[in-house]
Amino acid sequence: MSALAGLGRAPADRAARYRAAGLWDNRLLADGVEVGADRRPDVVAVVDDERGLSYAQLATAVAAGVTALAARGVRAGDGVVLVSGNTRHGVIAYHALLRAGATTVLLDRRCGVADLRAALDALCARPRVIVPAAEAERLAEPLTEAVEVVSLELFDDVSGPPAEPSGSAEPSGSAGSAGSVGSRPLSPWAPTWAEPDRDRAAVVLFTSGTTSRPKGVVHSLNTLTAGADNMARTTSADERTVVFLVSPLTSITGLSQVHLAADRHATLALEDRFSPERTLRQMNAVGATLLGGAPVIAERLLRAAVAAGPDGAGIGLRTLALGGAMLPRPLLELATDTFGIEIARVYGSSEAPTFSGSLPGDDRERRLSDDGALLPGSEVRVGSSHHPREGLLRGPNLFLGYLDAADDEAAFEDGWFRTGDQLELHDGRLTVVGRLREVVNRNGLKISLTEIDAALADLPGAVEAACFGMPDPSTGERLAVAVWPADGIAVTLDAVVAHLVAQGVATRKLPEQVVRWDAPLPRTASGKLVRSRLVMDTPGKDSDLAARLADG
């Protein structure tokens, strides 16, 4: 039996509670793209590196995609693997799969063979994979004759544009029958598919965690929409917003922005291959107003805008939504004071997207001081059976559970989700203190990696710097610092120690090793630093060691 076969739906009591509070509603998929085509047919809905599609064209392509899936035997409840980069084809295929009622297992185009094999293991007897033509050969090993392979580029049919729409139509807020949408008049984009059950498993995406293998995170349409609504609240997104998506389409950050754009009939601009200078030009060319995702992306774009000088194009963003690590204070002030960008802090994860966030009325100091206010329906409990400061979460955006039910046992406590983060809650506002395990234990002294990372933020001569723990036969672990130096600059252990001492770091917390990288530090697709890779790759890097290690 496949893992998908055991997936259920949201518990009835949870669904009833959130519906009664108006946090889950009866909106339709068709209230997104299809109503957008009725109301704003000529407005750009999605644009990638090759072309843009209007809402009329996107609705046409999605309808053609649903037809193509049906012709291949895809039925409601079937599992389909979608491998995609940040392209219009991926957006079209994703919307079509939702409307077909499939459970979509998502993988980024840069996934490995092992990732694809794990996704296929979750499917039933007739596995189907939608994959970009450019990646099919690289991923061919698990694509046996038993697997039906569909080219992602199939999802681009905008031929035969429909006739003029029959008039404006507002979202109905209640379910309708196939071929019509509530009480709205039929239009050229009226769906011919049945609206899917919003409480059942709709999407599976993979996240790294405390296990050696990726965990499949299962979301319903309601949990995804609640997360996207929260992002819209904290960024004030509306139909005038131009969302610029650099994070992978197949990540929770990507999905939240895909849903946000469709539900608000906004524009979604896609960037598949990030390069600071070129990406900055592309952002400005499409008039991007909202960028959400990993702080490292924002940092490189801001640095590129500064490097362009006063005669450069600058950066035209209106809002920058940041989750995870905070940008260095000087860069945040640069964003707000020089470029007029509003910073929106958000906290969330693949399991609980956009759980807290800045509020529209927050001033700059409030936005830079914490991780935002709890958003509608979000509940936090501080203290678990594992740690007195671990944050536990409940809310309408919380996932249904993991693909492997065994992973749920450690993830939930009395119905609350264990975050693995140390949280503080004051007056309804959240502050993330750090990860529970983000420490180095040197001779019993626990050193916070978050604390040292913050002190390294302005390390002279470094493009990037981050600390991590290395195994040590004498002390158990030692603190090391990975540095990607700027061109022509040799960042030494003495220089790093001197910088940290000047920042007020205690002597007992100083590093004993500096490791120099000749490229960006390793990160996940969503931009999170992979400290385990720092440990694994250190032996092959140029390194400075403290005297006790060098002498040994």
Side-chain angles (χ1 to χ4, degrees):
M1 177 180 292
S2 72
L4 289 182
L7 295 180
R9 37 189 291 113
D13 59 340
R14 182 185 183 195
R17 181 167 71 252
Y18 292 136
R19 281 201 171 87
L23 300 170
W24 286 0
D25 56 29
N26 291 320
R27 78 179 72 186
L28 309 176
L29 279 178
D31 288 328
V33 172
E34 289 77 12
V35 169
D38 257 345
R39 294 179 57 192
R40 316 182 78 207
D42 299 323
V43 169
V44 176
V46 60
V47 56
D48 64 9
D49 291 340
E50 294 182 350
R51 65 178 298 193
L53 300 180
S54 68
Y55 264 96
Q57 291 173 316
L58 178 58
T60 301
V62 170
V66 175
T67 300
L69 291 169
R72 285 161 174 78
V74 176
R75 301 290 181 263
D78 287 353
V80 178
V81 177
L82 172 59
V83 181
S84 179
N86 286 14
T87 68
R88 67 187 186 280
H89 311 95
V91 173
I92 295 165
Y94 177 68
H95 280 304
L97 286 162
L98 290 181
R99 285 154 176 77
T103 298
T104 305
V105 183
L106 291 165
L107 291 174
D108 183 66
R109 65 168 176 80
R110 292 158 289 199
C111 68
V113 168
D115 300 314
L116 180 53
R117 190 180 297 113
L120 287 169
D121 287 344
L123 301 188
C124 57
R126 191 184 178 192
R128 300 178 181 89
V129 176
I130 301 171
V131 63
E135 308 296 340
E137 183 176 351
R138 181 177 65 83
L139 299 172
E141 189 267 325
L143 300 177
T144 65
E145 291 183 1
V147 178
E148 182 177 355
V149 179
V150 179
S151 173
L152 179 62
E153 286 73 22
L154 169 73
F155 295 86
D156 199 25
D157 184 3
V158 294
S159 61
E164 286 298 313
S166 57
S168 66
E170 297 297 327
S172 67
S174 61
S177 60
S180 66
V181 184
S183 59
R184 294 195 296 266
L186 287 174
S187 81
W189 299 283
T192 58
W193 36 268
E195 286 283 342
D197 180 351
R198 297 187 65 86
D199 291 340
R200 62 172 290 276
V203 169
V204 179
L205 53 93
F206 291 95
T207 180
S208 59
T210 56
T211 59
S212 60
R213 54 178 172 74
K215 293 184 288 188
V217 177
V218 182
H219 276 282
S220 69
L221 278 172
N222 276 323
T223 60
L224 288 172
T225 299
D229 284 351
N230 282 348
M231 187 173 187
R233 288 186 182 95
T234 198
T235 61
S236 301
D238 57 21
E239 64 180 12
R240 298 166 296 178
T241 298
V242 179
V243 181
F244 196 82
L245 182 58
V246 180
S247 299
L249 172 72
T250 55
S251 68
I252 194 62
T253 302
L255 291 187
S256 294
Q257 293 176 58
V258 169
H259 282 270
L260 181 155
D263 288 346
R264 279 152 187 79
H265 310 146
T267 298
L268 178 68
L270 303 163
E271 178 76 326
D272 192 44
R273 300 179 187 275
F274 177 73
S275 169
E277 292 77 15
R278 192 192 66 81
T279 298
L280 179 62
R281 292 193 296 270
Q282 180 68 4
M283 284 176 54
N284 290 331
V286 300
T289 63
L290 171 61
L291 175 70
V296 66
I297 297 295
E299 181 171 358
R300 293 178 186 174
L301 286 169
L302 286 168
R303 292 191 188 280
V306 172
D311 297 327
I315 186 168
L317 285 175
R318 186 192 72 199
T319 306
L320 187 58
L322 298 175
M326 179 64 92
L327 288 179
R329 179 80 181 206
L331 274 177
L332 289 170
E333 292 174 345
L334 176 75
T336 57
D337 299 342
T338 301
F339 297 115
I341 301 172
E342 184 175 82
I343 303 297
R345 285 292 295 170
V346 297
Y347 170 67
S349 63
S350 296
E351 293 87 349
T354 319
F355 201 85
S356 70
S358 302
L359 299 177
D362 289 345
D363 60 26
R364 187 181 76 170
E365 287 307 309
R366 170 66 89 176
R367 290 172 180 274
L368 304 187
S369 64
D370 61 26
D371 293 280
L374 295 183
L375 295 168
S378 296
E379 300 176 79
V380 173
R381 192 177 86 189
V382 177
S384 70
S385 59
H386 295 75
H387 194 282
R389 296 179 69 181
E390 181 176 19
L392 305 176
L393 307 182
R394 290 195 313 199
N397 55 331
L398 190 65
F399 73 135
L400 300 184
Y402 290 112
L403 189 61
D404 185 345
D407 290 327
D408 292 339
E409 296 178 13
F412 289 90
E413 184 173 306
D414 301 326
W416 294 75
F417 174 64
R418 295 183 54 225
T419 63
D421 291 324
Q422 298 182 51
L423 304 182
E424 292 182 356
L425 187 64
H426 297 288
D427 300 324
R429 298 188 71 95
L430 196 66
T431 299
V432 181
V433 178
R435 293 290 294 170
L436 295 185
R437 299 184 180 183
E438 292 279 59
V439 296
V440 165
N441 188 345
R442 182 167 65 193
N443 278 337
L445 171 68
K446 293 181 173 61
I447 304 169
S448 167
L449 299 183
T450 304
E451 175 190 353
I452 306 302
D453 275 352
L456 290 167
D458 295 317
L459 179 66
V463 179
E464 280 190 276
C467 58
F468 60 104
M470 283 293 292
D472 190 291
S474 299
T475 60
E477 284 186 300
R478 64 175 177 269
L479 184 68
V481 173
V483 177
W484 178 27
D487 288 344
I489 297 179
V491 179
T492 65
L493 176 60
D494 288 344
V496 171
V497 168
H499 173 77
L500 293 176
V501 169
Q503 298 292 311
V505 174
T507 301
R508 66 184 186 278
K509 297 181 180 180
L510 294 174
E512 295 182 281
Q513 184 174 7
V514 163
V515 186
R516 285 176 283 272
W517 288 63
D518 55 4
L521 302 186
R523 296 180 182 274
T524 65
S526 61
K528 294 180 181 178
L529 183 71
V530 185
R531 297 191 200 267
S532 60
R533 280 280 310 282
L534 298 179
V535 176
M536 289 188 292
D537 293 349
T538 283
K541 300 291 183 183
D542 182 37
S543 178
D544 286 353
L545 295 170
R548 79 166 179 90
L549 297 165
D551 294 341

